[in-house]
Amino acid sequence: MRGEPIQALNNGFNGLISMLRTDPQAMDSLHISVITFDREVHNLVPLTDLASFQPVEIHCPESGPTHTGEALEMLLKMIDSELVKGSTERKGDWKPLLFVFTDGKPSDIQKYRMCIPKIKAMDFGIIVGCAAGPKAEVSFLKELTDEVVKLDTTDSNTLTTFFRWVSSSIEMGSKSQGTGKTLTLPPPPNELNIII
Amino acid sequence: METILKQLLDEFNVEQNKVVDNTLTKLMHNAKINALARDINSLKQQIIAIFQMYREKEEFKETQLVITNANAKKHYSYSFDLAQFPNIRIQKIKNLDKVGLTFDPETSSICGVPDMALTMDLHLVFINTLEENPTEDIKIIPFIVNADPKDLWLNKPSNQNDLYAKADSDKYAGAFLDKRIVVASQRGRSHAHEGSFRDDHFYVSALPEAWSVVAVADGAGSAKFSRQGSKIATEYLVKTFDNEVLLHELNDLCLAYYTTAPAEAVPPAPKDDQPVSGATTNIVNDPIEEVVKAEMTAQECLLKVKSSIINILYKSVRDVHAKLVEFARKEEILLKDLNTTLIFALVKKIDFGYVVLTFGVGDCPINVVIGDLQEVHLLNLLDIGEFGGGTRFITMPEIFSHTDMPLRFAINRFDNFSKLILMTDGIYDAKFITENKLEDKDTWNTFLQDLDGQNEDGAKVDFVTDEHIKDQLLTWLDFWSKGNHDDRTLAIIY
């Protein structure tokens, strides 16, 4: 991803943060961690509360492999150490929400597939896969989650719409629900194609 | 010296040959040339110094400076770390006064209390102190002032023309046996923000045979019509007990339970006001000894009485579930759309104290306070998941088949109590936070003092002169607690 699409992604993502900042519930409770994955996997922004979150700029190399599996592996480790589970002495975090955004397909497919059952066992509130642009392959994301959105284009309008929907999905994450149940996502706007 | 001359010849395209070499050798010791060369060097130094000066400025401009976010109405201070740029001095920051912050160039720090939320670009006006006549330059950095979450909450009324509309708050005060009860229920800020309904509900009623009941339910935030689920659960539960024959039978059973109980059958060292937890205690292991046979019979008898009591309660709870199933079917909605927790206390005063029968599914506690906090007990099993908001509901069929079902019921008797309290998690999450605090006397002491007006709003619930108590409790429910904006319902029998 480069040129206009990456610019649009950055604008869209930072726009998402601005949108969330106006939501009092999110301001009180939301924490965000950003992992970027290409040839290298980085925890670009370690888990940060929304009030302290700084605008970020995501860079993408012009070519090379996409290490989605390694990113999931990093995520698993981070969840293990950062997520607070409730007990009689400690208040638990809300269920974490996972959004995987890619414009390609995993190059480390074996590792990717190895991580999937572990991710699924993590009890995320929701996992949303987003395949952005013409080269993004939906089938791999479908292995990870049923909730896959395809963006045909990666212009700034589409991305803004997408992130607005992400924002409303995040707001769903702080409501009481049955244990072990997953969230129902708000209906996506027409621009987004939900893959069944 | 020689280098300078050679560079100069290169610059002027003077070809190197023997004549040129000879000339160079002669000029090496020429005083005038040497003086000029020194001047050139000194001029170069000056140029490079100016270059470095400008470079430092450009580098400062390019460096990513992260300045921590401020929060509206909260004191803010930030010092720029300029160790990397020893000669850079920030003179002033434009735009900063827009949010009510000031900048001190001496300490390179910003401080003050921002008065409003804003996302903007700060213009840092800076100079390089090495410059003789410093010229100002500008570096732009983004700056975020977060809103005070209190200012972000909207209070939109719910649409009273919608299906299963419900008032945004409710309150009640009245008699409860020979005591009084006050209940208030307030829509949470998270619902008010979206103009959605209060999902909590409560119902209080006096019943035949001198019983009284209070039921409280918390509809799930994630369920579409949970406001109706909680209404049905509480109202129908009370209805199932509005039955003279049933309550008469319950009278007899409770009397039997507390009069035929052999000393050994209640938990060790039974104190009168110690709760005898309902279904778990008194279940005997297989006694082998003949000696214990008589006692065994008494225990068996007790167990039988107990299970009869619990069966009556169980049937009511089962009926509530069935009612919800029927409602969902009739209205062609999903049962889970009605997801709601339910707690209730069915109470009667008898010759030797108060019999308190309780049930709970979900994360809403029922507590009893004895005397001046001599004792405090949690009377029900709480369903609190590993994650925030995770719980169980009366609408879930699986709770009825689960082995912990009997644990949800409790039979207790107290000589007296000063308060019997039922609350939804909107109160519990904010004031008790974790389950282990529900039997912690210090936490309860703070909670009771809080009710007595020791809070930042000075909101007091006066249990002595209780003329306006229901309004006072409703006002008290409006307390501020970061991250806790769910519906709040609190019922207190006092």
Side-chain angles (χ1 to χ4, degrees):
Chain A
M1 203 182 246
R2 60 199 156 108
E4 199 210 321
I6 188 74
Q7 190 63 44
L9 171 67
N10 276 309
N11 290 344
F13 183 73
N14 288 319
L16 166 71
I17 302 296
S18 301
M19 258 183 271
L20 290 170
R21 265 186 223 283
T22 62
D23 174 20
Q25 185 87 16
M27 276 301 278
D28 263 3
S29 47
L30 188 68
H31 286 62
I32 303 164
S33 185
V34 182
I35 299 174
T36 56
F37 52 97
D38 39 70
R39 181 191 303 279
E40 311 233 324
V41 174
H42 291 291
N43 184 199
L44 183 69
V45 184
L47 196 63
T48 307
D49 66 284
L50 183 58
S52 313
F53 199 91
Q54 299 272 344
V56 289
E57 185 159 0
I58 297 161
H59 298 278
C60 258
E62 296 196 358
S63 60
T66 308
H67 287 151
T68 321
E70 205 180 316
L72 294 186
E73 203 172 58
M74 178 185 271
L75 173 69
L76 285 167
K77 273 194 202 131
M78 284 167 37
I79 293 247
D80 243 3
S81 63
E82 293 171 356
L83 185 75
V84 177
K85 290 200 172 183
S87 68
T88 55
E89 293 106 44
R90 210 164 52 154
K91 200 96 201 154
D93 287 337
W94 291 98
K95 282 189 185 186
L97 313 175
L98 173 62
F99 296 86
V100 180
F101 191 97
T102 183
D103 69 339
K105 59 176 184 197
S107 313
D108 53 350
I109 189 72
Q110 205 176 349
K111 193 177 267 182
Y112 178 72
R113 288 197 168 128
M114 251 168 56
C115 288
I116 285 178
K118 292 182 197 159
I119 292 278
K120 286 187 173 171
M122 278 286 175
D123 209 5
F124 279 95
I126 32 168
I127 301 176
V128 176
C130 176
K135 282 190 219 148
E137 290 203 21
V138 168
S139 62
F140 294 99
L141 288 173
K142 285 298 283 181
E143 293 176 31
L144 179 67
T145 172
D146 291 335
E147 310 281 356
V148 179
V149 188
K150 175 135 176 67
L151 309 183
D152 292 331
T153 55
T154 46
D155 58 276
S156 70
N157 273 345
T158 313
L159 283 172
T160 307
T161 314
F162 170 72
F163 281 115
R164 190 169 297 139
W165 176 72
V166 169
S167 163
S168 56
S169 308
I170 290 174
E171 283 154 18
M172 289 295 290
S174 55
K175 293 189 175 168
S176 62
Q177 51 187 311
T179 46
K181 299 285 190 290
T182 50
L183 284 178
T184 315
L185 290 170
N190 295 336
E191 292 90 329
L192 314 182
N193 306 319
I194 290 280
I195 308 299
I196 314 285
Chain B
M1 165 68 192
E2 193 181 349
T3 332
I4 287 183
L5 279 172
K6 279 189 175 159
Q7 276 173 358
L8 200 61
L9 295 182
D10 267 356
E11 218 172 290
F12 283 82
N13 294 323
V14 180
E15 268 183 49
Q16 220 175 336
N17 54 38
K18 202 167 174 238
V19 177
V20 172
D21 284 349
N22 289 343
T23 318
L24 272 178
T25 313
K26 286 208 170 147
L27 286 180
M28 291 290 270
H29 301 288
N30 181 294
K32 177 90 177 164
I33 293 287
N34 273 284
L36 286 171
R38 270 197 299 277
D39 287 351
I40 289 173
N41 267 330
S42 141
L43 287 171
K44 276 188 177 172
Q45 291 298 335
Q46 283 177 44
I47 292 170
I48 202 80
I50 294 170
F51 169 81
Q52 297 289 17
M53 231 151 45
Y54 276 79
R55 189 164 95 161
E56 193 174 352
K57 282 167 83 174
E58 290 306 313
E59 269 179 352
F60 179 65
K61 250 200 238 181
E62 285 301 305
T63 303
Q64 203 200 347
L65 260 191
V66 176
I67 162 166
T68 51
N69 299 343
N71 295 301
K73 298 180 193 168
K74 283 199 179 148
H75 184 262
Y76 178 79
S77 88
Y78 179 82
S79 291
F80 289 96
D81 177 12
L82 298 175
Q84 243 188 299
F85 305 97
N87 305 310
I88 295 292
R89 178 186 152 97
I90 305 170
Q91 302 275 71
K92 58 184 170 190
I93 299 179
K94 285 187 191 166
N95 288 346
L96 204 54
D97 50 344
K98 275 191 198 164
V99 283
L101 292 170
T102 52
F103 175 72
D104 176 9
E106 295 310 315
T107 52
S108 294
S109 54
I110 300 176
C111 80
V113 180
D115 43 23
M116 58 171 176
L118 207 65
T119 299
M120 59 172 183
D121 286 333
L122 292 181
H123 291 219
L124 274 55
V125 181
F126 67 95
I127 54 161
N128 189 318
T129 51
L130 296 178
E131 275 182 80
E132 262 176 61
N133 298 308
T135 48
E136 288 183 341
D137 214 331
I138 286 176
K139 176 178 175 65
I140 297 175
I141 51 172
F143 181 54
I144 294 164
V145 181
N146 292 310
D148 179 349
K150 286 187 192 179
D151 295 340
L152 291 175
W153 292 110
L154 306 173
N155 191 358
K156 297 185 198 160
S158 55
N159 182 353
Q160 291 300 315
N161 297 319
D162 260 10
L163 210 53
Y164 319 125
K166 183 185 280 193
D168 294 338
S169 69
D170 196 5
K171 59 194 172 183
Y172 175 84
F176 195 92
L177 306 174
D178 60 344
K179 293 180 179 283
R180 307 275 308 160
I181 186 169
V182 59
V183 196
S185 181
Q186 176 70 56
R187 183 172 67 148
R189 287 185 193 93
S190 55
H191 288 162
H193 190 68
E194 291 164 2
S196 57
F197 289 98
R198 174 170 58 101
D199 292 332
D200 278 7
H201 211 86
F202 71 86
Y203 201 69
V204 184
S205 180
L207 296 169
E209 296 284 317
W211 286 86
S212 274
V213 65
V214 50
V216 171
D218 169 15
S222 57
K224 233 186 324 184
F225 302 123
S226 63
R227 57 181 180 278
Q228 184 68 2
S230 61
K231 183 174 192 283
I232 294 172
T234 48
E235 291 180 357
Y236 195 74
L237 183 273
V238 170
K239 203 171 160 200
T240 63
F241 287 122
D242 192 6
N243 177 333
E244 214 163 313
V245 181
L246 180 89
L247 290 177
H248 192 76
E249 190 188 343
L250 206 53
N251 273 350
D252 293 347
L253 286 166
C254 288
L255 279 175
Y257 185 70
Y258 283 110
T259 48
T260 64
E264 292 81 358
V266 281
K271 278 206 291 193
D272 270 353
D273 46 12
Q274 198 165 51
V276 177
S277 65
T280 46
T281 52
N282 314 339
I283 296 173
V284 272
N285 300 320
D286 293 339
I288 306 155
E289 301 283 334
E290 278 294 310
V291 201
V292 290
K293 205 170 180 182
E295 180 196 318
M296 161 69 191
T297 322
Q299 280 179 339
E300 271 181 348
C301 182
L302 190 73
L303 197 60
K304 210 177 144 208
V305 176
K306 174 181 278 184
S307 64
S308 302
I309 297 173
I310 287 175
N311 272 325
I312 289 177
L313 304 180
Y314 178 82
K315 199 176 165 298
S316 283
V317 171
R318 187 83 231 189
D319 286 351
V320 170
H321 178 84
K323 180 77 188 174
L324 287 161
V325 172
E326 184 203 318
F327 182 84
R329 191 179 43 79
K330 211 176 68 201
E331 297 281 300
E332 294 179 340
I333 57 175
L334 298 171
L335 181 57
K336 68 174 183 153
D337 290 340
L338 297 171
N339 274 352
T340 179
T341 70
L342 175 65
I343 50 172
F344 72 79
L346 180 64
V347 190
K348 178 177 169 117
K349 190 176 187 197
I350 50 175
D351 290 344
F352 39 93
Y354 294 84
V355 171
V356 181
L357 308 177
T358 54
F359 166 82
V361 59
D363 49 2
C364 306
I366 307 171
N367 272 88
V368 68
V369 176
I370 312 277
D372 191 14
L373 263 180
Q374 271 77 39
E375 288 179 42
V376 59
H377 300 285
L378 173 65
L379 302 183
N380 63 322
L381 175 97
L382 293 186
D383 298 280
I384 297 173
E386 281 183 337
F387 296 103
T391 189
R392 293 199 178 81
F393 304 115
I394 189 73
T395 30
M396 292 175 158
E398 59 265 33
I399 65 159
F400 293 91
S401 53
H402 199 278
T403 47
D404 66 8
M405 188 59 183
L407 307 180
R408 298 185 180 279
F409 298 93
I411 309 170
N412 286 287
R413 184 186 66 77
F414 306 102
D415 277 354
N416 201 351
F417 59 85
S418 51
K419 286 188 176 67
L420 180 64
I421 298 176
L422 292 84
M423 62 180 96
T424 57
D425 61 342
I427 307 275
Y428 153 72
D429 281 340
K431 300 292 184 186
F432 292 87
I433 306 164
T434 55
E435 200 177 340
N436 63 342
K437 293 284 186 237
L438 284 167
E439 291 199 323
D440 178 66
K441 286 184 188 170
D442 289 341
T443 313
W444 270 97
N445 190 35
T446 310
F447 180 70
L448 294 177
Q449 284 178 351
D450 190 341
L451 279 172
D452 195 40
Q454 292 186 31
N455 51 59
E456 57 183 52
D457 305 319
K460 179 184 163 93
V461 184
D462 189 347
F463 291 97
V464 183
T465 318
D466 59 359
E467 210 180 329
H468 305 292
I469 193 162
K470 58 184 179 182
D471 297 303
Q472 288 169 347
L473 186 61
L474 193 61
T475 307
W476 184 88
L477 287 186
D478 207 28
F479 62 82
W480 182 263
S481 169
K482 182 175 156 58
N484 295 305
H485 308 294
D486 199 0
D487 294 345
R488 295 167 179 169
T489 302
L490 182 57
I492 306 171
I493 299 160
Y494 59 102

